[in-house]
Amino acid sequence: MAAQASMEEFEALLNDSFELVTPDEGSVVKGTVLAIEAGQAIIDIGYKMEGRVDLKEFAQPGQPPEIAVGDTVEVFLERVENARGEAALSREKARREEAWDRLEQAYEKEERVEGAIFGRVKGGFTVDLGGAVAFLPGSQVDVRPVRDAGPLMGLAQPFQILKMDRRRGNIVVSRRAVLEESRAEQRAEIVAKLKEGDAVDGVVKNITEYGAFVDLGGVDGLLHVTDMAWRRVNHPSEILAIGETIKVQVIKINKDTQRISLGMKQLQADPWEGVEAKYPLESKWTGRVTNITDYGAFVELEPGVEGLVHVSEMSWTKKNVHPGKIVSTSQEVEVIVLEIDTSKRRVSLGLKQTQGNPWENFAAMYPTGTEVEGEVKNITEFGLFVGLEGDIDGMVHLSDLDWERSGEEAIQDFRKGDIVKAKVTEVDVERERISLSIKAMDGDPFADAVSGVKRGDVVTVEVTKIEDGGIEVDYDGMKSFIRRSDLSRDRAEQRPERFSVGDKVDARVTNIDKASRRLVFSIKAREIAEEKEAVEQYGSSDSGASLGDILGAALKKTDE
């Protein structure tokens, strides 16, 4: 009976073994660790099958393997039997299959997953997501570019799955998305506590040309360069350094964008208070040139108070010169306060006013008629420009170059750079003009010639030229022309040829034209005047005496 029972048990066990189905290759099965030897774990997966798995497949990145004899583990059955008659197993592939199932569920629910960065590849890093390897692009590591990712390697941390494709085995994750979400929550909480006007401490995180970003304890605010100080700040690095702790005031909070505007100067006294009383109009001050533009230069009177010297107020004489040719940055200059507009925070300053009006100065030093000397700066079609004291020019008009010659002819004698002497004839301060005369240096020959001469006088002239229309004569260096009709009272004697060059002739002055600088002579007028005088003295033709008798008596009287 016992033997029969044993046979029945054996047969039942045999039948049971036939009914067991061998697991499919490519599936995940459970097994028990039988032993650990030579860096491998021997695992019994049942079905009378055992296999070996390298211990490193049981280790997390950067961690020692965690496995012991008797542990139950899941492994991936690659082949039922390999060349050694053992099952080909893989813990890594089992973890991967398990991880993909878990990651797909997290991806669908948009949940974060935990992983560790364990390697660097082109364009980014590799991340172990508990068995599945994902790609972390360099741009998705942090909210700001990361220069050294060493401290992040092997560190368990959350990631957001951006994209995954199980068929291709591709997973793309982002650490930045997690940080941004966390920062957004933190930012909203901090912003809710802040109020405009609050004074808070912050740390300078970044400096740009237009300002600095200040960390207020998890939220950044922008400190614009114009709100750093009341004075002009050319670059934020002049007064700030990265990592420096500063006190700032919250100027504005945009609840929609959660942007915070900060200010430093608002915590300081406003230097514009009392500016009008401190800088009265027409007062003189010394300031420092802080900025130069095409339209003028800014001068700092004190930290926070700047005034503009417009280009028109920089020089009396340099009209079309860039301000940079007159002053330079950081130069100390004297200025006059011209106007103050406290509402617009503007001060208009004058630079040229500190030097005095050069035309007024010239008029005081060189009144009309004074002799001056200067260099010919320019020659134009209407005259010469001569450089004078005070960096100003005087003009010699063509008509003031020579008494005798035309201006067009006389100007040919001058060259740029010549040193000339002239007399001041007029100073027009309002129009900024000085008139000079070179010919006045030699006196006026016409004025000298006509000095003591008046209309009706009889003078002696010398014949210098005979022409058909009359004769040219000279009187004390002045040339004049007596027309044929004025050569004699007698028409028959009105012949130019009866005179010779060098003859001395008495003629009557009939006109003195100072405008045209001409003396007009007439022999005929002289003869008529003499005849009239003789008649008055020696009788008249009405008394019966002939004109010849009267003139003869006059000549006889003259001879006696």
Side-chain angles (χ1 to χ4, degrees):
M1 291 292 293
Q4 187 177 357
S6 296
M7 287 299 293
E8 289 177 354
E9 291 176 357
F10 177 75
E11 185 178 356
L13 290 172
L14 182 62
N15 291 333
D16 289 342
S17 68
F18 286 142
E19 291 177 359
L20 291 173
V21 179
T22 303
D24 295 332
E25 293 182 350
S27 63
V28 176
V29 297
K30 289 186 178 182
T32 304
V33 179
L34 299 179
I36 297 176
E37 58 183 34
Q40 292 180 321
I42 301 174
I43 300 173
D44 178 10
I45 62 172
Y47 316 105
K48 299 187 182 299
M49 290 188 291
E50 296 178 356
R52 296 173 181 268
V53 179
D54 290 338
L55 291 180
K56 65 180 180 180
E57 293 191 29
F58 294 93
Q60 297 291 338
Q63 302 292 328
E66 297 179 0
I67 190 170
V69 175
D71 288 349
T72 300
V73 296
E74 288 186 341
V75 291
F76 184 82
L77 178 61
E78 297 184 82
R79 291 191 303 279
V80 172
E81 186 176 347
N82 58 17
R84 295 165 56 182
E86 298 177 340
L89 306 177
S90 171
R91 171 59 182 162
E92 183 176 329
K93 290 184 179 180
R95 290 177 65 242
R96 185 181 304 165
E97 291 297 318
E98 178 188 353
W100 272 95
D101 292 338
R102 174 173 50 82
L103 294 174
E104 282 181 337
Q105 293 179 10
Y107 180 57
E108 291 176 1
K109 297 178 181 179
E110 297 183 354
E111 295 176 344
R112 298 175 185 176
V113 294
E114 190 172 272
I117 303 173
F118 68 91
R120 185 186 294 272
V121 295
K122 183 177 180 181
F125 302 87
T126 51
V127 179
D128 182 358
L129 299 178
V133 177
F135 173 63
L136 173 63
S139 61
Q140 296 297 321
V141 176
D142 206 329
V143 291
R144 290 190 177 89
V146 176
R147 296 181 180 178
D148 182 16
L152 300 176
M153 302 292 280
L155 181 66
Q157 53 193 315
F159 294 89
Q160 188 75 39
I161 300 175
L162 301 180
K163 184 173 65 174
M164 65 185 302
D165 186 338
R166 187 162 188 167
R167 184 175 60 84
R168 295 184 178 182
N170 293 336
I171 305 175
V172 179
V173 295
S174 171
R175 179 173 176 268
R176 175 177 177 172
V178 176
L179 294 176
E180 285 180 343
E181 184 178 342
S182 175
R183 284 172 63 89
E185 295 173 357
Q186 185 182 21
R187 186 183 186 92
E189 183 180 346
I190 296 175
V191 169
K193 295 179 180 179
L194 291 175
K195 299 189 301 294
E196 293 182 2
D198 286 353
V200 295
D201 291 328
V203 178
V204 179
K205 291 186 64 177
N206 191 26
I207 293 177
T208 68
E209 290 186 359
Y210 55 85
F213 288 95
V214 180
D215 184 358
L216 303 179
V219 59
D220 290 351
L222 174 63
L223 173 59
H224 197 270
V225 65
T226 58
D227 288 311
M228 291 182 179
W230 290 108
R231 65 178 179 86
R232 179 185 296 272
V233 178
N234 293 318
H235 195 277
S237 58
E238 292 179 8
I239 57 176
L240 295 178
I242 294 178
E244 179 183 0
T245 300
I246 58 174
K247 185 171 284 295
V248 292
Q249 185 180 78
V250 178
I251 300 175
K252 187 178 181 181
I253 300 176
N254 189 322
K255 298 294 184 180
D256 296 331
T257 61
Q258 292 190 341
R259 290 183 178 177
I260 303 173
S261 298
L262 306 173
M264 284 177 63
K265 71 180 184 182
Q266 287 76 5
L267 297 175
Q268 306 165 1
D270 187 352
W272 276 87
E273 293 180 2
V275 163
E276 281 186 292
K278 187 173 182 180
Y279 300 99
L281 300 183
E282 304 301 325
S283 60
K284 183 187 292 187
W285 299 87
T286 298
R288 181 177 63 89
V289 178
T290 57
N291 192 29
I292 297 175
T293 67
D294 291 338
Y295 53 85
F298 288 92
V299 176
E300 183 182 63
L301 299 177
E302 65 174 89
V305 179
E306 280 187 348
L308 172 65
V309 181
H310 193 267
V311 65
S312 62
E313 304 294 345
M314 302 196 81
S315 173
W316 291 105
T317 56
K318 298 173 182 177
K319 302 294 185 183
N320 298 312
V321 177
H322 190 275
K325 298 260 179 94
I326 300 175
V327 295
S328 57
T329 304
S330 299
Q331 179 184 348
E332 296 285 335
V333 294
E334 278 194 341
V335 291
I336 295 287
V337 178
L338 302 179
E339 184 182 354
I340 295 180
D341 187 338
T342 52
S343 62
K344 295 182 178 179
R345 293 177 175 262
R346 291 179 181 174
V347 178
S348 296
L349 304 173
L351 182 65
K352 69 182 183 181
Q353 289 80 357
T354 62
Q355 304 159 359
N357 188 324
W359 285 273
E360 290 180 355
N361 297 340
F362 185 88
M365 293 181 62
Y366 302 97
T368 301
T370 306
E371 182 180 319
V372 294
E373 184 178 81
E375 179 184 345
V376 176
K377 296 290 187 180
N378 198 16
I379 300 175
T380 68
E381 59 183 11
F382 49 83
L384 307 176
F385 283 93
V386 179
L388 301 173
E389 187 176 328
D391 199 24
I392 57 179
D393 291 344
M395 192 190 79
V396 183
H397 193 268
L398 289 176
S399 60
D400 286 309
L401 291 174
D402 197 280
W403 291 110
E404 302 297 331
R405 294 180 297 168
S406 67
E408 289 77 8
E409 182 182 356
I411 202 170
Q412 302 301 320
D413 296 342
F414 299 93
R415 296 290 180 273
K416 203 171 179 180
D418 288 352
I419 302 299
V420 297
K421 292 183 178 181
K423 282 191 176 181
V424 179
T425 57
E426 183 185 6
V427 180
D428 190 333
V429 175
E430 290 187 3
R431 299 172 69 186
E432 299 181 350
R433 291 182 181 179
I434 298 175
S435 298
L436 305 174
S437 175
I438 291 178
K439 70 181 184 182
M441 293 295 297
D442 300 327
D444 187 349
F446 179 80
D448 295 340
V450 302
S451 177
V453 176
K454 60 183 181 297
R455 287 183 62 182
D457 287 352
V458 176
V459 297
T460 301
V461 298
E462 181 179 350
V463 178
T464 56
K465 192 174 182 181
I466 310 297
E467 297 182 4
D468 290 340
I471 61 174
E472 182 185 76
V473 297
D474 177 273
Y475 174 71
D476 200 10
M478 298 297 299
K479 299 291 184 182
S480 186
F481 190 78
I482 303 176
R483 296 175 299 173
R484 176 189 285 269
S485 60
D486 285 316
L487 291 178
S488 176
R489 178 176 179 276
D490 188 350
R491 184 179 291 274
E493 294 298 320
Q494 294 176 350
R495 294 177 292 106
E497 60 269 18
R498 72 186 181 89
F499 296 93
S500 300
V501 174
D503 286 352
K504 299 289 195 299
V505 181
D506 290 340
R508 184 182 176 92
V509 179
T510 59
N511 191 23
I512 301 175
D513 190 343
K514 293 183 179 180
S516 63
R517 302 175 57 77
R518 290 179 61 245
L519 283 173
V520 181
F521 299 107
S522 174
I523 299 174
K524 175 181 177 180
R526 186 211 75 200
E527 292 176 345
I528 293 174
E530 288 178 348
E531 179 182 318
K532 182 178 181 183
E533 183 181 353
V535 169
E536 289 177 352
Q537 291 186 17
Y538 300 101
S540 67
S541 57
D542 295 339
S543 62
S546 66
L547 181 59
D549 294 337
I550 295 172
L551 292 177
L555 289 173
K556 182 178 180 181
K557 182 66 175 176
T558 302
D559 292 339
E560 292 177 354

